[in-house]
Amino acid sequence: MDVFTTRYDFSQQFNMPSKDAFEWCTDYRENDFSIMGMKGKRQIRKVSNDVIILTDIIYNNGKSITKKKLVRLDARKLFWSNTHLAGPNKHSQFLYQIIPIGKKSKLEFTGPQVNYSKTEVSQKEIKLIQKEAEEEDSAIWKRLAKKIEGDLN
């Protein structure tokens, strides 16, 4: 089995103060997938004030993918991590931080994603996987930013 890491990052601006953006982004709910424009189910288990276990079932093209994630929150730093415990990208750890920009804010995302393949993967394929993951995650956060603005109005 070929195991490799792809790394990508992006930022997403929010038209709200940083503390409010952090609270909105880390207020996990069962309907999160509909907000993200995806089909899925989310089970949320709050272990403590700063530790959450998410079990996500995502439906795509007639198939389902289950992911189990450990989320660690640091409200003081407006930071959180999302570590995949099970699923196709097991051991990936995604990092998020909300940065204040006056009365607005932005999300800084870093995604070191662990990938598994039954066959050897070329550098060209790795770059394509990286690009697709960045585009997909960035598009999700663009939809979430629109939802935040809708919630404010």
Side-chain angles (χ1 to χ4, degrees):
M1 176 164 291
D2 197 15
V3 180
F4 58 96
T5 298
T6 52
R7 298 179 194 283
Y8 59 99
D9 52 40
F10 60 85
S11 61
Q12 175 61 54
Q13 188 162 330
F14 298 120
N15 291 322
M16 64 189 327
S18 56
K19 186 173 185 243
D20 295 341
F22 176 81
E23 288 175 7
W24 194 95
C25 290
T26 59
D27 181 22
Y28 295 99
R29 297 178 182 211
E30 291 179 5
N31 70 338
D32 284 345
F33 286 110
S34 64
I35 296 169
M36 290 185 255
M38 302 168 68
K39 293 183 181 178
K41 293 180 184 176
R42 171 166 276 173
Q43 182 181 56
I44 303 151
R45 186 174 66 130
K46 194 168 186 176
V47 178
S48 68
N49 287 338
D50 63 348
V51 178
I52 300 167
I53 302 288
L54 301 175
T55 303
D56 294 339
I57 302 171
I58 302 163
Y59 303 104
N60 192 7
N61 298 326
K63 296 181 180 181
S64 67
I65 298 170
T66 301
K67 300 178 180 182
K68 190 168 192 174
K69 306 169 186 177
L70 170 69
V71 177
R72 298 294 315 253
L73 306 172
D74 186 340
R76 289 179 306 113
K77 295 182 180 177
L78 305 176
F79 174 87
W80 71 101
S81 64
N82 178 330
T83 305
H84 288 227
L85 304 174
N89 301 105
K90 183 170 82 170
H91 304 121
S92 298
Q93 186 173 55
F94 301 106
L95 309 173
Y96 305 80
Q97 186 160 21
I98 302 293
I99 308 295
I101 306 172
K103 293 182 181 181
K104 297 181 180 183
S105 56
K106 74 174 176 176
L107 168 72
E108 290 290 339
F109 171 88
T110 303
Q113 178 173 283
V114 178
N115 303 273
Y116 301 87
S117 176
K118 293 179 182 176
T119 60
E120 191 173 331
V121 181
S122 71
Q123 286 300 314
K124 184 178 179 180
E125 291 170 311
I126 290 172
K127 287 183 181 188
L128 181 61
I129 291 166
Q130 178 179 335
K131 183 178 183 225
E132 288 174 352
E134 182 175 337
E135 288 173 356
E136 182 179 324
D137 285 357
S138 178
I140 288 169
W141 280 99
K142 281 183 170 90
R143 286 191 289 276
L144 290 171
K146 284 183 182 178
K147 175 64 174 156
I148 289 174
E149 289 184 17
D151 283 356
L152 290 175
N153 298 329

